[in-house]
């Protein structure tokens, strides 16, 4: 029962009249509604009180909002999330002491009266008239329960909460009628159970189970006499009787409850006295609400779960319905997160990139063939403090991420897969000079794209001069080779392949149909790249990322959850060929520092011009992962920079993202099967020098280029508004 304020200076006679009105109304109600309507009492004048008969007879009780538990794939708890910390339990799971204590202090005649306690009203009327202030109320436990239902229904809407708690005769009349209904339909024990589950005990704890956990770190069924009396006493004024902040006031209130219990013969006087002599001994469990409390750096994954829930129509037709369902809580959400993988991801990130470094890193690991997200983390912790963020750097913008990051040469395998599907021989050679103009025109899905002819592309090193075939060009990440390759097959097959592999822009826009895409010039997220590469590991089958295994609601009923969508992105032969190419990267190419010991792995490095981003994306048969390192704000170039205590003249995909990927994957897969990646035999033609003019030099066996480029910066490179010189001379990445 909430603490009563004084009467605001009204004379005793006026206060008495106010309470008399309530008592007369209560008497009429308890008389069985013998009067035609409350209006016969003159209470409906001027619309101050609804006609009693006009009030709906059915009290709509909303589901009590409870905490939701988010679990990993092994059943371990990642986090609790709730709008109100509550766990609903039955009377059998509540100590008999708390049941007796709450009745004793809040409504001693609870089992003797009906919905309204007429004797209590008259007693309160007399007491208040004598004192000249409204010092004593007369609401029964049932009436308090009804009021709490109104408050629960109001949720976090301040206007609705004010309406639910306003001190008006109209609200009291409505409360009375619903109390009558509740008494008839539920009975005393159910009302007591509901009351103890709905009421607020302070310290963010709603309901007796949450209160027992908060103050004593135990279940409600294990509360002893003194603890029960303390919690029962809090209800009247949670702030005034808060044992954490005012133990002396809380002790006095506890002892009042103990004496009341003794007076009612719920306990002996000796038992009450003994409990009153003991000092309050708390074992406070601080509130742990939300993804900020998630274990093993899984705050971003936790937030991703919430985003999935609020966006997926499996959980409701509209976002409003889904949000209401999320806030009601009471769910147990079992996710795909593998605790071993998550710990390994976070440990690797912590080792290689410090949270106060000038750049950040994000990593995600998925399971080929299922799309299950096994691990997701980043170097900057989840939070609102310095060097913290709540932006999930691993996912697309609409899923709580940023604008994405240029993937650089990690996009080249997509081009290679598209070419192989078009019938290109992996032994095909191109001259691949150190520097060359973009060929033009190039076929797109909508026609032809033509460049100005003034834009050039160059390789990372001047000694990278062809001819190269696909295997060596992939291992060395030769830009000029892949520019010629996409010019030959056209842009449209690459766009189609990317779509089949689920590789899309992080901002949700369509892929730009330009030849520069072969160099990774369109922003993407680590989750997108990891899931896309998983198609190579999965024999050419792509499965969309999925994070939720199962959900049960507060009643233990299973809810329908979103499922992964799998499709064939490429032939198995193409996937196996890509395996061969990318194994070469980690065995004898740019990704040697990322290679795993004792198990097959494949992958690709990626670095953008001006070093705004560096990547490594790779896989084994049972896991595919992507690691990005860079400045989320796209401002800091990674030249002359120290990351994780290691100085760099300039950052490469091999020397920072590569080791992060290696360590994360090694820990994730420790003591797990090490199957081999299926590969194909690819001859790597010896590099030959062919005499002739520059246009024919080293041509070897290749198809005439149809060419083109996608730049928009005259004189070289690809200028993207908002990212100054992101691609420098048009190299894209390595």
């Amino acid at each position: 029962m909430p603490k009563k304020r004084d009467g605001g200076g009204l004379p005793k006679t006026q206060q008495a009249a106010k309470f008399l009105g309530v008592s007369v109304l209560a008497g009429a109600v308890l008389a069985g509604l013998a009067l035609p309507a409350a209006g016969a009492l003159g209470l409906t004048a001027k619309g101050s009180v609804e006609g009693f008969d006009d009030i709906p007879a059915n009290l709509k009780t909303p589901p009590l909002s409870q905490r939701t538990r988010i679990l990993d794939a092994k059943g371990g708890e990642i986090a609790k999330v709730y709008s109100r910390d509550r766990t609903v339990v039955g009377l059998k799971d509540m100590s008999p002491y708390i049941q007796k204590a709450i009745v004793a202090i809040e409504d001693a005649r609870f089992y003797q009266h009906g919905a309204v306690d007429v004797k209590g009203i008259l007693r309160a009327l007399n007491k208040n008239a004598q004192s000249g202030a409204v010092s004593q109320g007369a609401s029964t436990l049932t009436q308090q329960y009804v009021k709490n239902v109104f408050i629960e229904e109001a949720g976090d809407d301040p206007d609705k909460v004010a309406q639910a708690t306003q001190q008006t005769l109209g609200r009291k009349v409505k409360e009375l009628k619903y109390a009558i209904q509740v008494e008839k339909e539920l009975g005393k024990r159910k009302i007591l159970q509901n009351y103890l589950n709905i009421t607020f005990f302070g310290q963010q704890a709603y309901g007796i189970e949450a209160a027992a956990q908060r103050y004593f770190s135990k279940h409600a069924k294990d509360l002893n006499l003194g603890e029960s009396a303390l919690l029962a006493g809090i209800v009247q004024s949670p702030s005034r009787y808060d044992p954490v902040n005012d133990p002396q006031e809380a002790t006095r209130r506890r002892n009042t409850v103990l004496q009341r219990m003794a007076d009612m013969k719920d306990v002996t006087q000796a038992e009450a006295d003994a409990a009153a002599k003991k000092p309050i001994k708390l074992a406070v469990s601080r509130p742990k609400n939300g993804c900020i409390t998630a274990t093993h750096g899984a705050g971003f994954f936790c937030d991703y779960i919430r985003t999935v829930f609020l966006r997926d129509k499996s959980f409701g037709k509209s976002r409003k319905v889904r949000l209401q369902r999320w806030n009601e809580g009471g769910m147990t959400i079992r996710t795909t997160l593998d605790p071993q993988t998550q710990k390994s991801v976070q440990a690797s990130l912590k080792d290689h990139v410090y949270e106060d470094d000038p750049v950040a890193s994000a990593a995600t690991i998925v399971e080929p063939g299922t799309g299950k997200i096994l691990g997701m983390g980043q170097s900057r912790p989840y939070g609102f403090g310095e060097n913290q963020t709540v932006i999930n750097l691993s996912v697309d913008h609409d899923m709580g991420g940023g604008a994405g990051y240029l993937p650089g040469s990690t996009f080249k395998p997509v081009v290679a897969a598209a070419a192989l599907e078009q019938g290109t021989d992996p032994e095909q050679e191109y001259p691949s000079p150190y520097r060359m103009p973009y060929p033009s025109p190039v076929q797109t899905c909508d026609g032809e794209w033509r460049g100005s002819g003034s834009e050039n592309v160059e390789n990372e090193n001047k000694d990278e001069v062809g001819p190269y075939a696909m295997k060596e060009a992939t291992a060395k990440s030769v830009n000029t080779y892949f520019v010629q390759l996409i010019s030959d097959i056209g842009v449209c097959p690459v766009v189609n392949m990317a779509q089949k592999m689920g590789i899309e822009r992080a901002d949700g826009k369509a892929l730009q149909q330009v030849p520069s895409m072969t160099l990774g010039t369109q922003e993407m997220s680590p989750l997108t790249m990891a899931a896309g590469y998983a198609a190579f590991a999965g024999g050419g089958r792509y499965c969309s990322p999925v994070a939720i295994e199962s959900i049960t609601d507060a009643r233990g009923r299973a809810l329908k959850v979103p499922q992964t969508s799998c499709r064939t992105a490429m032939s198995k032969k193409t996937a196996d060929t890509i395996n061969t190419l990318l194994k070469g990267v980690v065995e004898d190419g740019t990704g040697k520092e990322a290679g795993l010991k004792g198990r097959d792995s494949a992958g690709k490095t990626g670095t953008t011009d001006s070093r705004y981003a560096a990547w490594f994306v790779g896989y084994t048969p049972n896991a595919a992962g992507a690691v990005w390192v860079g400045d989320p704000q796209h401002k800091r170039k990674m030249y002359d920079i120290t990351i994780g205590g290691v100085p760099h003249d300039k950052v490469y995909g091999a020397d920072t993202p590569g080791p992060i990927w290696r360590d994360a994957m090694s820990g994730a897969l420790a003591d797990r099967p090490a199957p081999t990646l299926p590969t194909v035999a690819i001859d790597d033609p010896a590099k030959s020098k062919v005499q002739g003019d520059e246009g024919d030099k080293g041509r070897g066996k290749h198809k005439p280029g149809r060419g083109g480029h996608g730049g928009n910066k005259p004189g070289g490179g690809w200028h993207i508004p908002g990212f100054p010189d992101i691609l420098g001379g048009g190299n894209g990445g390595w």
Side-chain angles (χ1 to χ4, degrees), residues 367-633:
E367 184 176 67
T370 67
K372 293 179 180 179
I373 301 174
L374 304 178
M376 178 183 288
Q378 54 198 60
S379 60
R380 292 179 181 172
Y382 185 96
F384 299 93
E386 186 178 1
N387 300 316
Q388 297 180 342
T389 182
V390 293
I391 298 175
N392 189 341
L393 304 176
S394 285
V395 302
D396 291 346
H397 178 73
D398 64 352
M399 298 302 292
Y405 318 98
L406 303 179
S409 291
T410 61
F411 193 83
K412 287 174 181 173
V414 182
V415 179
L420 293 169
E421 287 288 283
Q422 294 295 303
T424 300
D425 189 331
E427 297 178 19
Q428 179 169 310
E429 295 180 357
Y430 288 103
S432 311
Y434 165 64
R435 180 187 288 116
M436 63 176 284
Y438 276 87
S440 178
V442 175
Q443 192 69 32
T444 70
C445 298
D446 303 319
E448 287 185 340
W449 194 96
R450 293 177 179 271
S452 66
S454 60
E455 298 88 348
N456 293 317
V457 60
E458 63 184 36
N459 298 327
E460 168 73 351
N461 300 311
K462 290 185 177 181
D463 60 358
E464 288 178 355
V465 177
Y468 290 112
M470 192 178 289
K471 185 175 182 181
E472 188 177 7
T474 302
K476 293 183 176 180
S477 198
V478 180
N479 291 333
T480 55
Y481 178 92
F482 281 91
V483 166
Q484 292 173 86
L485 179 61
I486 196 172
S487 298
D488 258 3
I489 66 171
V491 171
C492 197
V494 179
V495 171
N496 291 337
M497 177 58 66
Q499 291 173 343
K500 291 177 183 178
M501 295 175 64
I503 294 179
E504 56 190 14
R505 290 172 59 113
D507 59 10
K509 297 178 181 178
L511 289 170
Q512 295 178 359
Q513 296 186 32
V514 291
S516 65
M517 71 188 306
T518 193
L519 304 180
T521 57
Q522 300 183 55
E523 294 84 354
M524 291 164 185
S525 68
L527 176 57
T528 289
M529 297 304 295
Y533 269 53
F536 300 142
R541 189 166 176 80
Y542 166 78
C543 294
S544 60
V546 64
I548 299 174
E549 291 268 26
S550 65
I551 299 181
T552 55
D553 66 11
R555 298 182 181 180
R557 298 174 301 187
L559 302 184
K560 181 182 177 182
V561 299
Q563 302 294 316
T564 185
S565 174
C566 297
R567 58 178 176 264
T568 299
M570 68 196 76
S571 68
K572 186 177 185 303
K573 180 180 178 182
T574 293
D576 293 349
T577 304
I578 296 294
N579 293 343
T580 307
L581 299 176
L582 297 187
K583 279 190 69 176
V585 173
V586 298
E587 291 173 353
D588 193 33
T590 59
K592 283 190 293 185
E593 292 185 58
L596 302 179
K597 294 181 179 180
R599 66 176 66 240
D600 267 2
S601 63
K604 185 72 186 73
T605 56
T607 312
T608 65
D609 276 7
S610 299
R611 269 25 186 214
Y612 285 101
W615 291 71
F616 187 86
V617 187
Y619 56 92
T620 69
N622 40 15
V627 176
W628 159 86
V629 176
D631 179 7
Q633 301 298 320

Side-chain angles (χ1 to χ4, degrees), residues 328-375:
E328 287 172 2
M331 298 177 288
T332 299
I333 303 177
R334 196 177 188 110
T335 71
T336 61
L337 197 75
D338 175 65
Q340 178 176 325
T341 301
Q342 180 63 24
K343 290 177 185 178
S344 184
V345 166
Q346 206 57 40
S348 182
L349 288 165
K350 185 177 181 181
D351 286 346
H352 292 283
V353 184
Y354 300 156
E355 62 182 69
D356 59 352
D357 279 345
V359 294
S361 181
T364 297
I365 296 177
V366 302
E367 184 176 67
T370 67
K372 293 179 180 179
I373 301 174
L374 304 178

Side-chain angles (χ1 to χ4, degrees), residues 30 100 102-123 138-142 183 188 260 264 266:
L30 290 174
K100 293 176 181 178
I102 204 73
V103 170
I105 195 63
E106 288 296 318
D107 187 0
R109 287 174 32 81
F110 176 62
Y111 291 106
Q112 283 75 52
H113 62 65
V116 180
D117 184 6
V118 176
K119 290 185 178 180
I121 289 176
L122 295 175
R123 182 181 62 251
S139 290
T140 65
L141 213 61
T142 306
E183 286 271 351
K188 295 293 187 181
R260 187 71 62 85
M264 292 186 63
D266 290 326

